[in-house]
Amino acid sequence: TLDATRDIFQMHEIDPDLPVIMLSGHASDEAARTGIEAGAFDYLTKPYDLGELLDKISAALEEKSRKQKAES
C-alpha cells in the first residue's frame, strides 16, 4: 500500500488531474481508504470484473472532463 500511495503522489506531481484507479490483490478496506486518501479515483480488488473496470474508467474520464470544462 505504501508503494501504491507513493506512486499515486508521483503520478499526481506530473498530472494533478490524472484519474488513478488502483487494482490490488489485497481486499482490504484500509488499503482502499489509503489509496482514495492519496488521491486515487477508485479502487478494485483482483480478480476484478472487466465490465466494472470499464465503468470506473468511464466515470473517471467523465469526471476529468467535467473538471476541465468547469476550469475553462
Side-chain angles (χ1 to χ4, degrees), residues 7-64:
D7 293 344
I8 292 169
F9 283 126
Q10 288 176 339
M11 286 185 268
H12 283 164
E13 285 178 4
I14 296 167
D15 182 354
D17 296 323
L18 179 70
V20 176
I21 299 171
M22 289 181 60
L23 301 175
S24 175
H26 305 286
S28 155
D29 289 340
E30 181 181 343
R33 184 177 55 253
T34 300
I36 299 298
E37 288 173 356
F41 176 79
D42 213 330
Y43 181 95
L44 285 173
T45 56
K46 298 175 190 173
Y48 56 87
D49 177 73
L50 182 57
E52 185 178 9
L53 175 60
L54 293 174
D55 288 345
K56 290 183 183 293
I57 291 170
S58 179
L61 293 175
E62 287 175 16
E63 182 172 315
K64 183 175 181 173

